[in-house]
Amino acid sequence: MNSIDGNIRLAHVHDLESIVSIYNYAVASGFETADLQPWAVSEKISWLEEHNAAEYPIFVFETTSRQVVGWISLSPYRKGRLALRHTAEVSYYIHPDYKRMGIGTRLMQHTLTQAIALDFQTLFAIVIDQNRKSIAFLERLGFSRWGHLPLVVDYYGIRCGHYYYGLHL
């Protein structure tokens, strides 16, 4: 695995084009997200605004040349259900040219620290059960498989499931 220099910081609206572009690589790759259609930047402005730093931040990894090459977000789980206020979903995506350089690990470690500071007690990730690399990544970072929803994902006739991976902080 190669390593790359850079820093992790909160996402800003000027990062949205990079965030969407990275996500759209995952959509095009298949089996990395349940979205079948790419995102449009204009459609994600409100999504970014909903992820405010005080509650559900989005962090980006920015290279020394100021290129955003990965991102991670915390999102509410069953928004409005107060008994679940200490639980968040974590999602992460890395530009394909920058995978296996430690960026995902650095983003996740940073986010775990921030999640504790934000008073989260539990994080979980929803992963397509065919996504072996993401499964190995989560397990390496201490997440455990908590559940499986078989055959709920349909990639134009190819059916697979969702795994739920969780971590108590």
Side-chain angles (χ1 to χ4, degrees):
M1 172 173 48
N2 295 328
S3 181
I4 188 166
D5 289 331
N7 69 304
I8 297 170
R9 62 171 175 75
L10 286 168
H12 301 289
V13 70
H14 64 269
D15 299 316
L16 196 53
E17 188 172 322
S18 295
I19 289 168
V20 167
S21 176
I22 292 165
Y23 186 81
N24 286 342
Y25 280 112
V27 172
S29 295
F31 302 101
E32 293 182 15
T33 176
D35 274 327
L36 298 174
Q37 300 297 318
W39 284 0
V41 173
S42 61
E43 297 170 341
K44 292 301 168 183
I45 294 169
S46 62
W47 168 83
L48 182 69
E49 290 169 350
E50 289 170 6
H51 284 82
N52 68 69
E55 294 179 303
Y56 297 99
I58 298 173
F59 299 105
V60 297
F61 185 93
E62 183 179 61
T63 66
T64 54
S65 62
R66 305 189 62 90
Q67 181 182 4
V68 171
V69 297
W71 61 272
I72 191 166
S73 65
L74 292 174
S75 300
Y77 175 60
R78 311 234 18 217
K79 189 175 181 173
R81 308 268 172 113
L82 218 45
L84 298 168
R85 70 191 176 281
H86 299 291
T87 299
E89 179 183 355
V90 62
S91 301
Y92 47 88
Y93 297 90
I94 308 300
H95 187 287
D97 293 344
Y98 291 86
K99 289 185 177 183
R100 308 222 22 93
M101 294 184 181
I103 295 168
T105 299
R106 289 170 62 188
L107 279 167
M108 184 64 81
Q109 289 171 338
H110 178 82
T111 301
L112 293 175
T113 300
Q114 295 302 310
I116 292 168
L118 290 168
D119 202 27
F120 289 111
Q121 298 168 358
T122 306
L123 292 185
F124 73 94
I126 304 171
V127 183
I128 305 293
D129 63 11
Q130 302 299 308
N131 190 342
R132 304 287 180 230
K133 290 178 183 176
S134 192
I135 291 166
F137 170 74
L138 289 168
E139 289 176 350
R140 189 172 70 252
L141 290 167
F143 284 75
S144 300
R145 188 179 305 166
W146 286 356
H148 184 226
L149 301 176
L151 303 177
V152 297
V153 180
D154 183 342
Y155 283 101
Y156 300 110
I158 300 171
R159 296 191 59 204
C160 55
H162 261 163
Y163 283 135
Y164 278 71
Y165 272 81
L167 177 70
H168 291 296
L169 304 172

